[in-house]
């Protein structure tokens, strides 16, 4: 039998000594038996700003509309195939961590007008026409997309960074590295005397 949200919250309260109705951050990570459905008393999480449900067996995003203060949602390492339901958090969500799932369509994400951070490595996005939905996110600055078939193909073709940066004009970081655009690179070369050399030894990849 899978663990329900209700049972998981009870265990979390016992372990943390906190009330879930008062907590700003709740971690239900790697619950055993795993959580399969986002159902139950989520409405009591009235103060929750960060909800972590990673490493479970959740296949569907549900009931986010009851989380009125949700800013960060972590659903990495689940069985999510669709972003349908994510629009329930459209008014508040700023960060979505959803790597290692099975997502291939991105249309529902365009409703998240406050989203500035999207970590969705190792999903199943294959087409640029799906990626284009990210262009409708007015606040997106930090994207982790490595491990999607689209990224793998574009990297083999040698134009991944270029294809992403020309579509997401406000993006500042891609896969843990700062975005360096051609016009900015030219400005830097001019300022340095135009030798074209750049030192990237101090750029460290963010742990994913």
């Amino acid at each position: 039998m899978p663990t329900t949200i209700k049972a998981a919250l009870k265990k979390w309260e016992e372990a943390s000594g906190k009330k879930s109705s008062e907590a700003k951050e709740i971690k239900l990570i790697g619950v055993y038996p795993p959580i399969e459905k986002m159902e139950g008393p989520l409405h009591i999480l009235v103060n929750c700003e960060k909800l972590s449900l990673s490493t479970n067996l959740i296949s569907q995003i549900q009931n986010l509309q009851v989380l009125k203060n949700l800013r960060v949602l972590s659903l990495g390492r689940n069985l999510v195939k669709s972003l349908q339901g994510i629009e329930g958090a459209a008014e508040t969500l700023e960060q979505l961590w959803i790597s290692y799932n099975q997502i291939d369509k991105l249309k529902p994400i365009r409703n998240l007008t406050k989203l500035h951070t999207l970590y969705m490595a190792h999903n199943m996005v294959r087409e640029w026409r799906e990626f284009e939905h990210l262009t409708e996110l007015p606040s997106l600055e930090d994207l982790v997309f490595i491990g999607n078939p689209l990224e793998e193909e574009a990297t083999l073709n040698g134009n991944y960074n270029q294809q992403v940066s020309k579509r997401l004009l406000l993006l500042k970081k891609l896969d843990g590295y700062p975005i360096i655009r051609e016009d900015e690179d030219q400005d830097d070369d001019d300022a340095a005397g135009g030798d074209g050399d750049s030192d990237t030894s101090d750029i460290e990849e963010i742990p994913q």
Side-chain angles (χ1 to χ4, degrees), residues 107-125:
K107 186 176 180 179
I109 208 170
R110 63 183 181 174
N111 297 295
L112 305 182
T113 57
K114 294 184 178 181
L115 193 75
H116 60 72
T117 299
L118 174 60
Y119 294 163
M120 60 167 305
H122 300 282
N123 275 277
M124 302 299 292
V125 180

Side-chain angles (χ1 to χ4, degrees), residues 20 64 75 92 121 124 137 147 177 200-201:
S20 55
L64 293 183
L75 280 170
T92 60
M124 302 299 292
L137 299 175
Y177 291 94
T200 59
S201 61

Side-chain angles (χ1 to χ4, degrees), residues 42-108:
L42 288 173
H43 63 277
I44 70 172
L45 308 182
V46 292
N47 291 307
C48 184
E49 297 180 2
K50 180 178 179 181
L51 177 60
S52 299
L53 292 166
S54 58
T55 316
N56 282 288
L57 294 177
I58 295 168
S59 60
Q60 188 175 359
I61 300 172
Q62 297 173 288
N63 298 314
L64 293 183
Q65 68 278 2
V66 302
L67 300 170
K68 302 299 185 182
N69 293 299
L70 188 65
R71 297 171 56 194
V72 182
L73 176 62
S74 174
L75 280 170
R77 298 184 186 276
N78 275 282
L79 301 175
V80 180
K81 296 181 179 180
S82 170
L83 286 172
Q84 199 69 41
I86 198 68
E87 60 272 18
E91 295 183 4
T92 60
L93 199 65
E94 298 175 3
Q95 299 186 43
L96 177 60
W97 307 350
I98 199 161
S99 295
Y100 293 95
N101 279 281
Q102 303 169 21
I103 297 162
D104 61 351
K105 306 292 185 185
L106 298 178
K107 186 176 180 179

